[in-house]
Amino acid sequence: MTSTVPALGTRTAEGSALQAVLLDMDGTLVDTEGFWWDVEVEVFARLGHTLDEAWRQVVVGGPMTRSAGFLIEATGADITLAELSVLLNDGFEDRIGRALPLMPGAARLLAELHEQRIPTALVSASHRRIIDRVLASLGPQHFTLSIAGDEVSRTKPHPDPYLLAAAGLAVDPVRCAVVEDTATGVAAAEAAGCHVVAVPSVAPIAPAVRRTVVTSLEEVDLAFLRGLMTEMR
């Protein structure tokens, strides 16, 4: 993946139609945010450390480098970031190999976007090895492209992943709807200029300009996403 990040989008007078939908993965489409925390707890227990439950909200939605780095510093564990990343990815891959529950409404939304030929991208802070395993269950046909956290020089909360996804789809980020479940992902999408639908998974997210908060993907369909663009006129 190129490290060259396209410029931020600029809304034009005619730029009010939905061009693409960009979707986060963990906690948004698949019910796996709890998997990551469980694996982190188990790995650090083997290292002789107990994780504070309050740290869960610190690491949720973050890239591996930030989350794992924070936990190493917080616990003082004698392990490198590279070593810990391998252990966490191995543990998570084992978990999703046993079960991969979808979030309510995810399958229906993906099917509708695919049927209506809406350009769709999966944009995740997870590593490529994890994304490819999840894509096999979600159905790779539902996504025009995917962006992994280890394929960009700066991942969420920076805008780079969403800017790269928009560029890959040849669309304006301003005319993209992003669906996210964490404050980190919301920050990345908003920094890219996208309109965000937040579906909070672990920590609450407040509504804001260009940000709509819902309780479940069951509230989201193509008409809803197109309506967001109409409201921007």
Side-chain angles (χ1 to χ4, degrees), residues 11 16 195 212 224-233:
R11 183 183 173 194
S16 58
H195 194 123
T212 303
F224 177 90
L225 296 173
R226 282 175 168 158
L228 300 179
M229 301 295 130
T230 302
E231 294 171 6
M232 290 161 44
R233 291 179 180 177

Side-chain angles (χ1 to χ4, degrees), residues 65-133:
T65 51
R66 191 197 75 187
S67 300
F70 169 83
L71 293 174
I72 291 173
E73 182 176 355
T75 60
D78 184 18
I79 189 170
T80 67
L81 181 60
E83 291 169 337
L84 180 57
S85 295
V86 170
L87 293 178
L88 293 177
N89 277 319
D90 285 349
F92 185 79
E93 196 165 359
D94 177 67
R95 287 273 178 142
I96 63 176
R98 287 181 272 147
L100 185 60
L102 298 187
M103 298 299 288
R108 188 256 322 142
L109 176 60
L110 290 176
E112 181 182 15
L113 295 175
H114 180 66
E115 181 180 338
Q116 297 300 317
R117 299 184 179 180
I118 302 298
T120 305
L122 186 66
V123 184
S124 175
S126 289
H127 289 187
R128 171 54 60 185
R129 60 179 283 196
I130 300 299
I131 287 181
D132 286 346
R133 285 292 301 272

Side-chain angles (χ1 to χ4, degrees), residues 2-198:
T2 178
S3 59
T4 302
V5 180
L8 291 170
T10 302
R11 183 183 173 194
T12 59
E14 66 276 9
S16 58
L18 177 69
Q19 289 187 334
V21 178
L22 316 178
L23 298 141
D24 174 54
M25 187 177 77
D26 294 301
T28 299
L29 293 177
V30 288
D31 191 7
T32 50
E33 286 293 7
F35 285 12
W36 280 115
W37 179 248
D38 290 344
V39 169
E40 288 160 350
V41 168
E42 291 171 3
V43 168
F44 276 90
R46 295 201 300 268
L47 296 172
H49 298 275
T50 301
L51 299 188
D52 189 321
E53 182 69 25
W55 295 342
R56 183 175 183 178
Q57 292 196 20
V58 178
V59 301
V60 65
M64 181 74 71
T65 51
R66 191 197 75 187
S67 300
F70 169 83
L71 293 174
I72 291 173
E73 182 176 355
T75 60
D78 184 18
I79 189 170
T80 67
L81 181 60
E83 291 169 337
L84 180 57
S85 295
V86 170
L87 293 178
L88 293 177
N89 277 319
D90 285 349
F92 185 79
E93 196 165 359
D94 177 67
R95 287 273 178 142
I96 63 176
R98 287 181 272 147
L100 185 60
L102 298 187
M103 298 299 288
R108 188 256 322 142
L109 176 60
L110 290 176
E112 181 182 15
L113 295 175
H114 180 66
E115 181 180 338
Q116 297 300 317
R117 299 184 179 180
I118 302 298
T120 305
L122 186 66
V123 184
S124 175
S126 289
H127 289 187
R128 171 54 60 185
R129 60 179 283 196
I130 300 299
I131 287 181
D132 286 346
R133 285 292 301 272
V134 174
L135 276 173
S137 295
L138 288 176
Q141 73 276 9
H142 291 125
F143 303 94
T144 308
L145 59 84
S146 59
I147 304 291
D150 57 341
E151 295 174 339
V152 292
S153 56
R154 300 190 311 169
T155 188
K156 304 173 187 181
H158 298 287
D160 304 32
Y162 282 111
L163 293 175
L164 288 169
L169 296 174
V171 297
D172 186 345
V174 173
R175 295 170 66 180
C176 294
V178 169
V179 186
E180 274 279 1
D181 72 303
T182 67
T184 299
V186 167
E190 291 180 343
C194 307
H195 194 123
V196 180
V197 178

